[in-house]
Every structure is written in structure tokens, then in C-alpha cells.
């Protein structure tokens, strides 16, 4: 699945919060993080000023690649519909966070320019133009390709005027019995101010005319967001006909405004600013501060207005005035607004129109799915590298934590939690461990954007069970993925560790590609002990034996190794840097790669999303290639390989300012040759010239590769086949 990290197809959590929190372990008062690097990070005398691509346009290019998957006729039809929905969800979050941040800078007069030299206002202009272009293409892909092909397969999205008389009569009855009672038409007049419009809600803007006075009035009806977007017209084997809810409401506006003539009605949707940061105060409970900010987020200022293409100028002017929206922030959409609703179509039971089901395999080191081996016994024999979703998360990482919770010899479990799932088996295992009398520490990052409410819920549940809950460090998000288990074995204490690139979330582990290291290595165990002491106490330790830890050690560690590759290259040793990440934006890291390229070191970058690095510039980056792989699974792992140094590193950090300066991130070296061979295989597959991907050129354009007439292989499909066949 290709999408932003947060986005899943899970329904939103609706459970109420536990009423009273248990005593909280306060965040440690550590030295503050180093200041974030400015977006225009300065110049390097031997590098050109135009060496960076714009990060916002690079992100829009990423979403265009998602849209390209929806266009691909070789993909199963409902998978194409799903990618259209993912495109919408991605773009929503982009406006809520990135565009909102640029608007704040522009409105407050901050003159910080992007790395490619654009002011916030200039960036907003190019974003507006590019977004309008993509929105129209997105709508056309659905209306001209996916929607007709769905209809040919018996999944029809109909309009009211396409229904038969019998179907209209049946749906009218449904409207009056099920829909009409929950609708609230809101008038706008001197006695009724313009109503609050919640972010991402779908609305009808309606002009009604009084038959007696001839006066025209505006009204708004919100399309209910707690029911399905599509109303079933008919549902038979191989024949699903659906009507959008807004069409059903529009056909019955006379019931909502009796005695009034409906002059016009149009669909619209606004996106609000969600770019809020918690103002952390060492004297205030962080959880309470966050809950205050979550309440404020609902009322963020509008950053985008999506309107139906047929909306009249008169109606649009009224919305712009009442919502205080800049005309430049209007996106006109032909056809259906908000194609998030296509996730509902994907939920239909039509397996022939989807990817074939994939069941992750149990890593052979951990036995069969039904006859598990002791994870502790396995790790005493040697380290294990798991590669999700190809290796099952539930029978590896989840089993590790569950066995630790149940093992009477385990004394303590320490774990970071950034995002997890509803009814999380990880959370349940930690609760079981605490109730069994083990020392359990959970560092819950309640500032994980858009998962704050769910994480508050888990934090309170853990506290009530007796888990020592820490809410992170003042000024930093804890993004690392680490677990430490302390076990008594005879007269000795042994530490078992997991360090990964993905969240402790069994649901997303079936969709996200990630790697993780499970080990009983005593050096790494001591490193994680020191790290948790820093996260929960007053330790100021910044140097580790086998870890790089942000905000003080990841950027410098990566750059130091790139520079070492240059030195070894000059000594005649075979050299090279290969990195796989979600985003490559940090200017200092990019400049180090440019200098390595100038020295002749070959560099291969595999990036899922944003890339500000410009490959192929003469005299600067001729030895750098950049490619992006999108597909069924979301490529999420972060892996580095320094060839001359013979070092492989994995971890949670992307090459971005926020990761390197404002988060606790962990990168761990993988040393076992058996495991580094597996990491090498991932790179070899991703970088195979026949692998289907997009290649970035020096102009900033992403070119589909390989070209026509060349053999093509699918990276993810080949990994699925290899794991099923070999079981390592």
C-alpha cells in the first residue's frame, strides 16, 4: 500500500477515554535539542546554488506517482480505486500540515526561504498551481477510467437521474426513515450566523428562494460523516449499485425546505490547519497540554476549499467571504469531491478485483506458526533479522514481547510506543507483564500527529495496570522503535533487544515494509539500557557503542561515514554508499553525498517520498542515482550501506530536519554476515535495472523505468516469492 505513514484503512477510534489517569512519570529535564537547521542551510563554495529540489513539490510528485498506480491498467481494478483514495488522504494531510505551516510563515512575515530559494508565498503559488493540475487529473482517472471499468465489473456509482422509478421510490423511503431525522439544515440570516464548518466534512451549499417575497437565502446541510458515503441501490452477486449520500440528500431538499424554491445547490469541503505544536512547559502535565491543543485543532483556520466544478460564481464568492478563504486556496473538482469514499468500494467482497491475499511467513528461526520456539533460546544462538510484511510480525516481534510478558524469568520490559493499533496485542502484553509483577516501562509518544487521542488512551490504560508510563522528553518526539527485555538466567542477567524501522503495530506491519533486528548481543543490550536511562531519567549520555542516536548523533554519524568512504575510495578500495529511506531532505547529508560523488564514490538512493537531492548534475552528482519504488506495500525501512567500511545500519530516522534535530531516533549497526547478506539482497533487488520504479533526473522529473521493450520485474512480488520459496 502506498500512502503516508499514518494513513490506514482502519476506522477512527471512538472509544471514550479512561476517566482518571494513574500517577505519571514526568519527562526528564534533559538538555534541549540542538537548534533545527534552517531550510536554507547555507552555501558550499564548490557546489551550485540550485542543487536542491523543492521539498513540497517533491512531495506532490510523490503523490503523482501514487496517482500513476491508479492509472495503471495492469493493476487489479479495486486496487486502482484504493490508490485514488490514498491520493486523497495523502493530499488532505499535506494541506493540513505542510501548506498550513507555509501559510503561518507567510502571514507572520517569516522570511525563511526553502532550500531552493523560494519564499513561503512563492511556494504556496506553485503548490496551488500543481495541486489544481493533480486534482483534475485525479478526478479524470476516476470518471474516465476507473468508474466505467468498475461499472463493467458490476460495481456502479450512479447518479439520482440514473435510477429507475422503483429504485427512487425505495431510496426515498430510506431517506425519510433513516437520513432525514439526522440532518440539520442551517439557515444564514441576521438571526442565524454562518455556521461553523468542520474540517474535511462534506457539505451542501444551498440557495433557496422565498416564494412569497422572492428573497434568496443561503443554507448549509452537512452530509452525515458517521454513516457510509454510499447508499446501496442494489446488492446482488456480481451487481453492486451505489448512490452517493449527497445525491440522495440533494434529491430531497424540498423535504428540508418546504415552501421554498431550491435555486441551486453544490457540494463543498474545507480543510483546516492542523499544524499545531504543544507548547511544552516543564511545570505542566504534558498530557493536559496536548488535550488542550487537540481541542484547538478543530477550529484551525481554513487552508483549502474544494468546490464542485459547476458551483456558481455567486455561491463561491459567498463561501470565500464567510469562510475567510483566499481565492488562491480554491480547488475546483469535476465529479465526486473527496474520493476517500473509495475505501468503501475496496471493502466490497470482490476478491477477483484485488491483489491475491498474502499471508506472511513465520521466520524459520522462530519455528512454525503453530509450534513456536522460544525466542530467547533462538537469540542465544544468534541474531535474527526480520523483514516485514514478508516475515510475520505476529510470530516474531509480537511473539518476542508476549513471551517476555509470560516468562517468569523476565524481570523487566522497556519499550517505546509511537503508533500502535486498536486492541493492540503489544499493549495487552505490557499490561499482562505489569500485572504479573514485572517492571514495565512504556515510553508513549502522545505527540504522534493525528494519533494523539489513541495514544492518550493507551497511556492511561497502561498507567492503570501499573506500567511506568513516560511521555517523552521536553522539546523532542520519541520516534525510535526499541524494546529491551531483561531476563534472569541462572546467576546471570541477560538482555534481549529489538530495534526496528517500523512501529509496534500488527495491522500496519501487514502493509508497511520494515526491517528489525532481534539480538541478545550484550553490547547492544548495554546501549539500549543507557538509552532508556536517558529517556526516563536524568542521564546526559550521548555516546553509544553500536548505536547512532538523534538529536545528537545520527546526522554527524552518517556524514562521518560518507566522508570515510571518500577517504577509502582515494586509497583505491571499492567504495559506495547505498541508502533506502522515506525522505531525503537534510541539506548537510545531501551536500556530503554531493562531495562523495565529486570524489568518484558511487551512490544509490532508494526513496519512497520526498527527495531534495538533485542527481546527475555535471561535476556535482554524476555518480548519484535516485529511484522510487511504490507498490502493494508501503516501502518504509531505513537502511544504510557503506561499502568500503563494510557497515550496514538500520533504524527509524529519515534524512529530514525533524528526524535529525527534533526527535529521538536510533540507528543500529547490523554486524552478523548472515544478516548483512539479507540487507544486501534487499538493495540488490531494489536496484536491479529491471525493477519497476521511477528514476529521478537532474531536472527534477521522475521517469518511469524500465522503458518500453525492456524486461520488468516487481521488487515486492519477487520478495514475496522468495520468502515463500526459501523460508531462509
Amino acid at each position: 500500500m502506498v500512502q503516508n505513514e499514518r494513513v490506514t484503512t482502519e476506522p477512527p477510534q471512538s472509544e471514550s477515554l479512561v476517566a482518571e489517569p494513574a500517577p505519571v512519570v514526568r519527562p526528564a529535564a534533559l538538555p534541549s535539542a540542538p537548534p533545527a537547521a534552517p531550510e536554507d542551510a547555507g552555501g558550499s563554495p564548490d557546489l551550485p546554488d540550485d542543487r536542491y529540489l523543492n521539498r513540497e513539490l517533491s512531495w506532490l510528485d510523490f503523490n503523482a506517482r501514487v496517482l500513476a498506480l491508479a492509472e495503471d491498467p495492469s493493476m487489479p481494478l479495486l486496487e486502482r480505486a484504493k490508490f485514488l483514495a490514498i491520493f486523497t488522504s495523502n493530499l488532505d494531510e499535506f494541506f493540513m500540515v505542510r501548506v498550513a505551516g507555509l501559510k503561518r510563515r507567510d502571514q507572520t512575515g517569516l522570511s525563511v526561504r526553502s532550500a531552493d530559494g523560494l519564499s513561503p508565498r512563492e511556494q504556496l503559488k506553485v503548490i496551488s498551481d500543481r495541486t489544481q493540475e493533480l486534482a483534475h487529473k485525479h478526478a479524470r482517472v476516476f470518471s474516465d477510467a476507473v468508474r466505467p471499468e468498475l461499472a463493467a465489473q458490476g460495481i456502479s456509482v450512479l447518479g439520482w437521474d440514473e435510477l429507475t422509478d422503483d429504485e427512487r421510490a425505495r431510496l426515498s423511503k430510506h431517506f425519510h426513515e433513516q437520513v432525514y431525522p439526522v440532518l440539520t439544515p442551517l439557515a444564514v440570516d441576521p438571526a442565524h450566523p454562518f455556521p461553523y464548518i468542520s474540517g474535511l466534512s462534506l457539505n451542501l451549499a444551498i440557495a433557496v428562494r422565498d416564494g412569497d417575497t422572492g428573497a434568496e437565502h443561503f443554507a448549509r446541510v452537512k452530509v452525515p460523516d458517521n454513516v457510509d458515503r454510499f447508499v446501496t441501490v442494489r446488492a446482488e452477486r456480481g451487481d453492486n449499485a451505489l448512490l452517493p449520500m449527497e445525491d440522495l440528500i440533494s434529491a430531497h431538499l424540498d423535504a428540508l425546505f418546504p415552501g421554498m424554491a431550491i435555486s441551486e445547490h453544490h457540494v463543498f469541503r474545507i480543510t483546516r490547519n492542523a499544524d499545531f505544536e504543544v507548547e511544552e512547559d516543564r511545570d505542566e502535565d504534558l498530557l493536559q497540554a496536548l488535550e488542550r491543543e487537540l481541542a484547538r485543532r478543530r477550529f484551525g483556520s481554513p487552508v483549502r476549499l474544494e468546490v464542485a466544478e459547476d458551483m456558481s460564481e455567486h455561491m463561491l464568492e459567498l463561501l470565500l467571504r464567510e469562510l475567510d478563504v483566499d481565492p488562491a486556496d480554491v480547488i475546483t473538482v469535476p465529479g465526486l469531491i473527496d474520493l476517500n469514499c473509495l475505501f468503501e468500494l475496496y471493502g466490497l467482497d470482490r476478491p477477483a478485483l484485488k491483489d491475491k491475499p498474502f499471508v506472511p511467513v513465520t521466520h524459520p528461526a522462530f519455528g512454525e506458526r503453530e509450534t513456536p520456539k522460544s525466542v530467547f533460546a533462538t537469540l542465544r544462538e544468534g541474531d535474527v533479522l526480520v523483514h516485514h510484511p514478508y516475515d510475520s510480525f505476529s510470530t516474531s516481534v509480537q511473539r518476542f514481547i508476549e513471551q517476555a510478558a509470560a516468562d517468569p524469568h523476565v524481570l523487566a520490559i522497556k519499550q517505546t510506543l509511537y503508533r500502535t493499533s486498536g486492541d493492540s496485542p503489544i499493549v495487552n502484553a505490557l499490561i499482562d507483564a505489569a500485572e504479573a509483577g514485572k517492571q514495565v516501562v512504556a515510553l508513549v509518544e502522545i505527540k504522534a500527529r493525528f494519533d494523539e487521542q489513541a495514544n492518550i488512551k493507551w497511556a492511561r490504560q497502561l498507567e492503570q495496570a501499573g506500567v511506568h508510563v513516560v511521555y517523552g522528553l521536553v522539546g523532542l518526539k520519541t520516534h525510535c522503535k526499541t524494546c529491551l527485555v531483561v531476563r534472569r538466567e541462572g546467576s546471570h542477567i541477560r538482555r534481549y533487544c529489538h530495534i526496528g524501522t517500523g512501529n509496534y503495530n500488527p495491522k500496519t506491519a501487514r502493509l508497511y515494509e520494515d526491517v528489525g533486528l532481534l539480538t541478545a548481543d550484550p553490547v547492544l543490550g548495554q546501549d539500549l539500557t543507557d538509552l532508556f536511562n536517558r529517556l526516563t531519567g536524568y542521564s546526559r549520555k550521548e555516546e553509544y557503542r553500536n548505536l547512532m542516536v538523534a538529536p545528537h548523533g545520527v546526522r554527524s554519524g552518517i556524514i562521518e561515514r560518507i566522508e570515510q568512504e571518500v577517504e577509502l575510495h582515494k586509497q583505491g578500495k571499492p567504495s559506495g554508499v547505498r541508502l533506502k529511506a522515506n525522505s531525503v531532505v537534510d541539506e548537510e547529508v545531501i551536500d556530503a553525498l554531493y562531495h562523495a560523488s565529486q570524489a568518484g564514490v558511487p551512490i544509490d538512493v532508494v526513496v519512497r517520498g520526498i527527495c531534495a537531492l538533485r542527481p546527475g548534475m555535471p561535476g556535482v552528482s554524476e555518480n548519484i542515482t535516485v529511484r522510487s519504488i511504490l507498490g502493494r506495500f508501503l516501502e518504509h525501512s531505513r537502511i544504510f550501506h557503506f561499502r568500503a567500511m563494510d557497515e550496514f545500519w538500520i533504524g527509524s530516522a529519515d534524512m529530514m530536519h525533524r528526524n535529525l534535530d527534533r526527535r529521538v531516533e536510533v540507528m543500529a549497526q547490523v554486524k552478523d554476515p548472515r544478516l548483512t547478506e539479507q540487507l544486501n539482497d534487499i538493495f540488490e533487488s531494489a536496484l536491479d535495472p529491471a525493477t519497476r520504479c521511477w528514476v529521478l533526473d537532474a531536472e527534477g522529473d521522475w521517469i518511469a523505468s524500465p522503458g518500453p521493450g525492456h524486461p520488468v520485474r516487481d521488487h515486492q512480488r519477487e520478495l514475496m516469492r522468495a520468502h515463500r520459496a526459501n523460508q531462509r
Side-chain angles (χ1 to χ4, degrees):
M1 179 177 285
V2 182
Q3 53 195 20
N4 275 340
E5 178 177 346
R6 180 191 63 84
V7 180
T8 72
T9 56
E10 286 187 59
Q13 298 294 326
S14 59
E15 296 89 349
S16 61
L17 297 179
V18 178
E20 291 296 331
V24 175
V25 178
R26 304 293 299 178
L30 292 179
S32 60
E39 290 204 37
D40 51 347
S44 182
D46 56 341
L47 295 174
D49 291 338
D50 63 349
R51 62 190 183 274
Y52 307 123
L53 299 172
N54 183 273
R55 64 158 289 165
E56 315 303 349
L57 293 181
S58 182
W59 187 93
L60 289 172
D61 287 342
F62 153 68
N63 217 27
R65 299 195 294 278
V66 175
L67 183 55
L69 293 177
E71 292 182 276
D72 186 350
S74 70
M75 297 200 64
L77 186 53
L78 282 176
E79 301 296 335
R80 296 172 63 188
K82 180 188 69 178
F83 284 121
L84 287 172
I86 291 170
F87 175 96
T88 301
S89 180
N90 285 352
L91 200 59
D92 288 347
E93 187 168 327
F94 176 73
F95 271 86
M96 292 163 70
V97 179
R98 294 302 306 177
V99 172
L102 286 171
K103 281 185 166 295
R104 174 175 51 79
R105 293 181 185 183
D106 182 49
Q107 292 165 0
T108 55
L110 291 175
S111 59
V112 176
R113 292 181 174 268
S114 61
D116 63 333
L118 297 181
S119 69
R121 182 163 300 182
E122 290 168 333
Q123 291 185 80
L124 288 168
K125 175 63 169 66
V126 295
I127 287 170
S128 176
D129 293 343
R130 178 70 168 137
T131 302
Q132 186 67 74
E133 173 192 338
L134 287 174
H136 276 262
K137 184 176 182 180
H138 180 233
R140 288 196 305 272
V141 171
F142 177 63
S143 63
D144 298 349
V146 173
R147 186 173 182 171
E149 292 181 40
L150 285 170
Q153 295 295 327
I155 302 175
S156 302
V157 178
L158 304 175
W160 182 258
D161 57 354
E162 297 176 89
L163 305 185
T164 67
D165 290 342
D166 287 345
E167 289 168 342
R168 290 186 184 186
R170 188 172 67 255
L171 289 185
S172 289
K173 183 174 184 293
H174 172 79
F175 172 83
H176 286 284
E177 292 180 352
Q178 302 292 328
V179 180
Y180 176 81
V182 303
L183 298 179
T184 304
L186 296 175
V188 176
D189 57 32
H192 300 87
F194 195 88
Y196 169 78
I197 309 293
S198 54
L200 301 185
S201 64
L202 203 63
N203 302 271
L204 288 170
I206 305 156
V208 297
R209 188 175 299 279
D210 190 310
D212 296 331
T213 66
E216 188 174 80
H217 304 283
F218 173 85
R220 171 259 192 168
V221 173
K222 179 179 179 179
V223 178
D225 54 9
N226 55 354
V227 298
D228 288 344
R229 173 79 175 275
F230 291 115
V231 182
T232 300
V233 177
R234 56 181 180 272
E236 303 167 1
R237 182 177 294 275
D239 184 12
N240 297 91
L242 305 163
L243 178 76
M245 177 63 76
E246 62 269 29
D247 282 21
L248 179 63
I249 296 171
S250 296
H252 295 86
L253 290 177
D254 56 341
L256 294 170
F257 303 97
M260 306 290 283
I262 308 300
S263 302
E264 58 178 307
H265 60 86
H266 308 280
V267 179
F268 73 97
R269 179 176 184 251
I270 68 168
T271 308
R272 292 188 177 275
N273 177 5
D275 185 36
F276 292 112
E277 295 292 339
V278 179
E279 294 182 5
E280 298 181 48
D281 186 331
R282 286 181 171 84
D283 296 324
E284 181 181 21
D285 190 303
L286 182 57
L287 187 146
Q288 293 178 358
L290 180 62
E291 289 183 317
R292 183 180 64 247
E293 291 303 323
L294 289 176
R296 286 181 54 200
R297 179 182 287 171
R298 293 184 57 244
F299 300 99
S301 58
V303 294
R304 177 181 58 167
L305 172 63
E306 296 170 275
V307 300
E309 194 175 43
D310 61 351
M311 180 173 284
S312 67
E313 285 296 321
H314 170 69
M315 182 71 77
L316 178 58
E317 288 173 3
L318 184 147
L319 290 176
L320 291 175
R321 180 177 66 253
E322 296 293 345
L323 292 170
D324 192 23
V325 173
D326 189 303
D329 297 328
V330 175
I331 303 293
T332 59
V333 181
L336 283 178
I337 291 178
D338 185 14
L339 291 185
N340 274 299
C341 59
L342 297 184
F343 280 126
E344 291 182 25
L345 297 190
Y346 188 78
L348 293 173
D349 185 20
R350 300 295 295 273
L353 302 181
K354 302 178 185 180
D355 285 327
K356 293 180 180 179
F358 170 69
V359 178
V361 301
T362 295
H363 193 292
F366 300 123
E368 299 298 326
R369 189 173 290 270
E370 304 302 327
T371 55
K373 294 171 58 178
S374 164
V375 175
F376 305 118
T378 296
L379 298 183
R380 287 195 296 271
E381 296 171 2
D383 296 351
V384 175
L385 185 83
V386 287
H387 191 192
H388 311 303
Y390 314 106
D391 291 319
S392 168
F393 179 89
S394 64
T395 60
S396 57
V397 178
Q398 181 179 320
R399 181 177 292 173
F400 168 56
I401 298 168
E402 289 175 337
Q403 287 188 359
D407 190 323
H409 299 294
V410 168
L411 304 177
I413 303 173
K414 303 182 180 184
Q415 176 146 15
T416 60
L417 289 174
Y418 190 73
R419 302 186 196 275
T420 188
S421 62
D423 191 27
S424 169
I426 303 296
V427 171
N428 293 338
L430 296 178
I431 289 173
D432 291 343
E435 291 176 344
K438 296 175 171 59
Q439 294 294 312
V440 182
V441 175
L443 197 145
V444 181
E445 183 46 80
I446 57 173
K447 294 172 288 184
R449 195 186 299 273
F450 301 119
D451 277 342
E452 300 97 339
Q453 204 72 56
N455 285 5
I456 290 172
K457 173 177 175 285
W458 304 133
R460 284 177 162 159
Q461 284 188 357
L462 289 165
E463 288 167 346
Q464 288 191 334
V467 174
H468 298 289
V469 175
V470 181
Y471 290 148
L473 307 179
V474 173
L476 300 174
K477 284 186 179 180
T478 304
H479 188 248
C480 55
K481 328 296 182 182
T482 56
C483 181
L484 174 67
V485 173
V486 182
R487 189 172 189 265
R488 183 182 298 281
E489 297 177 358
S491 60
H492 301 285
I493 296 292
R494 192 188 298 267
R495 286 172 282 209
Y496 297 86
C497 313
H498 172 263
I499 297 177
T501 67
N503 297 306
Y504 292 102
N505 187 326
K507 293 185 178 179
T508 57
R510 295 194 292 267
L511 304 172
Y512 289 19
E513 178 272 340
D514 278 298
V515 295
L517 174 67
L518 287 151
T519 179
D521 177 68
V523 175
L524 198 53
Q526 183 60 56
D527 274 347
L528 277 193
T529 299
D530 291 341
L531 175 65
F532 275 104
N533 287 344
R534 183 185 175 205
L535 294 174
T536 62
Y538 288 106
S539 168
R540 294 176 178 266
K541 187 175 183 62
E542 296 177 8
E543 298 295 329
Y544 299 85
R545 305 157 190 80
N546 197 34
L547 298 179
M548 292 186 280
V549 179
H552 300 284
V554 173
R555 179 190 285 113
S556 59
I558 295 296
I559 292 175
E560 178 184 333
R561 283 161 178 79
I562 295 171
E563 292 172 346
Q564 185 65 23
E565 283 293 305
V566 172
E567 292 305 313
L568 293 173
H569 174 80
K570 291 177 179 178
Q571 296 172 23
K573 295 185 178 181
S575 64
V577 176
R578 297 186 294 183
L579 70 92
K580 182 177 182 297
N582 295 284
S583 302
V584 178
V585 174
D586 187 77
E587 292 87 1
E588 291 184 56
V589 172
I590 290 174
D591 282 357
L593 293 172
Y594 285 152
H595 286 133
S597 171
Q598 289 176 320
V601 176
I603 296 161
D604 294 302
V605 177
V606 182
V607 62
R608 171 169 59 94
I610 309 169
C611 184
L613 184 154
R614 188 190 295 270
M617 289 187 292
V620 177
S621 55
E622 295 149 308
N623 293 308
I624 302 179
T625 67
V626 177
R627 57 172 47 195
S628 179
I629 297 173
L630 307 183
R632 175 174 184 167
F633 306 126
L634 185 146
E635 293 288 328
H636 190 252
S637 63
R638 294 89 164 183
I639 310 172
F640 284 80
H641 177 218
F642 304 96
R643 183 183 180 191
M645 299 181 68
D646 192 25
E647 287 188 5
F648 281 87
W649 292 77
I650 68 169
S652 57
D654 279 309
M655 298 298 101
M656 304 178 72
H657 302 152
R658 70 183 188 192
N659 297 83
L660 303 180
D661 295 316
R662 300 190 295 275
R663 290 184 174 184
V664 178
E665 304 276 13
V666 168
M667 303 292 292
Q669 186 178 358
V670 179
K671 294 182 177 180
D672 189 320
R674 297 177 301 110
L675 310 190
T676 58
E677 182 179 353
Q678 295 170 32
L679 293 173
N680 184 68
D681 289 344
I682 295 172
F683 274 120
E684 291 296 320
S685 175
L687 295 169
D688 187 315
T691 291
R692 181 186 290 110
C693 66
W694 283 265
V695 175
L696 182 63
D697 68 14
E699 302 304 315
D701 296 321
W702 291 90
I703 312 300
S705 178
H710 294 275
V712 179
R713 66 187 294 277
D714 186 285
H715 170 66
Q716 296 180 352
R717 193 171 298 152
E718 288 300 313
L719 287 173
M720 284 190 285
R721 182 195 60 77
H723 278 247
R724 282 194 299 260
N726 299 331
Q727 298 279 298
R728 285 200 301 278

